[in-house]
Amino acid sequence: YAYLAAGENGLKIYEVSNPAKPVLAAGLALECFANGIFIDGNFAYIAGLLGAGEEESEGGLLEIVDIQDPAKPSITGSVELTGQPVNVIVKDNIAYVATQTTGIALVDVTNAASPTVLATYDTPGLCYGVDLLGGFLVGADGLDGIVTLDVRDTTYPKKLYGGVITGNVLNATVWDTYAALSGGSDGLMVADLALPYNPAPGTVIEPLPLRNQPGQTKASVAFNSYLLTVETIGNYGGVRLFDLQDAESPAELDGDPYLLGDPLKVSYSPDQGLAYVSSQIAGLYMYSVTLTDEPGIDLDGCWLGWAGETGIALELD
């Protein structure tokens, strides 16, 4: 199944056993204007605005939908949020919501019927998206660059770094110790976050020309040492696939420069081998992604002991 946050049309669920012919399995009206969606187990977590657009919204919601039976989704619970909720990720029963004008909200979703806001952090800019690097959070903060927070205590997020690294950062996606930052017309930067309090700027992937105009990198998703990006200019766009095994020199593997409708988000389902690209005007694109190499993670290590040592302490994050 594919789950789509469809704006004023709420949640749409498609059966995609034949990706060339998706079938609408169910639709569900929501209280919010659905912007971002994250699937975790039997639930869909949807971040949205209370109004039909940013200008009309004075707040938003995180709505939780039971999708155990995809043909019969039902709203389980919701919680009001300040700002303009636009994206959400969930890990270990904590939802991390990018709320644009008010930064980031951390919500306990252990009880899906009664989610509770644990903490908020107001970033300097407009926070469009978040991702996790172990116990640390990376926020895409628009023209103010990125923020990194220590969220090991989910009731008290602590700022580690905030500053401009590249362009107008609209999206951040993490793989290993690297963050791919979608910087609009400045392209996509692969920054090293091995030290979350001191990110190191890295390789920049320039956007391709689209219809003889400079493109803009709007979103990306990293997975199993690969990276999918979407680029756009006006009502046109493209999608590109990179190998991140050498994150300091990403290798482009494939691409399609013929999308329509200003694609803004991309996701990948490893179980299906499908990538989903949402386009505001043209709808939903689905791509079959073939990965020829075995996925892997290269971790740099350092031996801290020597002959005669009787104890070594090790921490894994």
Side-chain angles (χ1 to χ4, degrees), residues 51-220:
E54 293 181 10
E55 299 80 5
E56 302 175 31
S57 176
E58 296 179 356
L61 294 172
L62 176 67
E63 295 193 62
I64 304 176
V65 177
D66 187 331
I67 55 170
Q68 186 168 1
D69 182 353
K72 297 179 180 179
S74 60
I75 298 175
T76 301
S78 67
V79 63
E80 290 190 9
L81 300 173
T82 59
Q84 300 163 334
V86 64
N87 272 314
V88 56
I89 63 172
V90 178
K91 184 179 181 182
D92 297 333
N93 288 321
I94 303 296
Y96 303 86
V97 187
T99 56
Q100 296 189 95
T101 52
T102 56
I104 299 163
L106 281 65
V107 182
D108 186 343
V109 295
T110 305
N111 181 355
S114 183
T116 305
V117 176
L118 295 174
T120 59
Y121 184 87
D122 191 359
T123 63
L126 298 177
C127 189
Y128 295 106
V130 295
D131 204 354
L132 291 172
L133 175 63
F136 305 101
L137 181 143
V138 183
D141 209 27
L143 292 172
D144 285 85
I146 67 169
V147 295
T148 60
L149 305 178
D150 184 338
V151 292
R152 288 174 291 184
D153 179 354
T154 53
T155 65
Y156 183 49
K158 295 176 282 293
K159 180 182 176 181
L160 299 175
Y161 174 85
V164 176
I165 288 186
T166 181
N168 181 15
V169 183
L170 303 173
N171 183 80
T173 181
V174 171
W175 176 79
D176 198 6
T177 60
Y178 294 89
L181 309 174
S182 301
S185 58
D186 287 336
L188 183 140
M189 175 180 286
V190 182
D192 188 346
L193 266 66
L195 302 177
Y197 54 84
N198 187 26
T203 301
V204 174
I205 299 172
E206 299 289 347
L208 294 176
L210 297 169
R211 302 326 194 256
N212 297 318
Q213 300 180 66
Q216 297 184 17
T217 304
K218 294 289 186 70
S220 60

Side-chain angles (χ1 to χ4, degrees), residues 148-303:
T148 60
L149 305 178
D150 184 338
V151 292
R152 288 174 291 184
D153 179 354
T154 53
T155 65
Y156 183 49
K158 295 176 282 293
K159 180 182 176 181
L160 299 175
Y161 174 85
V164 176
I165 288 186
T166 181
N168 181 15
V169 183
L170 303 173
N171 183 80
T173 181
V174 171
W175 176 79
D176 198 6
T177 60
Y178 294 89
L181 309 174
S182 301
S185 58
D186 287 336
L188 183 140
M189 175 180 286
V190 182
D192 188 346
L193 266 66
L195 302 177
Y197 54 84
N198 187 26
T203 301
V204 174
I205 299 172
E206 299 289 347
L208 294 176
L210 297 169
R211 302 326 194 256
N212 297 318
Q213 300 180 66
Q216 297 184 17
T217 304
K218 294 289 186 70
S220 60
V221 61
F223 57 95
N224 296 342
S225 80
Y226 295 95
L227 177 71
L228 278 165
T229 72
V230 290
E231 299 174 355
T232 177
I233 184 69
N235 292 328
Y236 303 101
V239 59
R240 300 164 74 186
L241 175 66
F242 294 87
D243 187 338
L244 278 182
Q245 291 190 58
D246 181 0
E248 296 181 3
S249 183
E252 186 162 4
L253 302 176
D254 205 355
D256 173 20
Y258 299 107
L259 279 75
L260 297 175
D262 191 17
L264 293 179
K265 295 185 180 180
V266 57
S267 62
Y268 175 73
S269 169
D271 295 334
Q272 299 171 326
L274 295 176
Y276 298 90
V277 179
S278 56
S279 164
Q280 293 188 105
I281 298 173
L284 182 68
Y285 283 84
M286 288 182 285
Y287 289 89
S288 175
V289 180
T290 302
L291 305 176
T292 57
D293 295 327
E294 287 294 325
I297 299 177
D298 296 323
L299 298 177
D300 295 327
C302 180
W303 176 247

Side-chain angles (χ1 to χ4, degrees), residues 3-29:
Y3 301 85
L4 182 66
E8 63 186 5
N9 295 309
L11 172 66
K12 298 292 184 181
I13 303 176
Y14 291 88
E15 199 279 316
V16 292
S17 56
N18 180 359
K21 295 181 179 180
V23 177
L24 182 63
L28 181 66

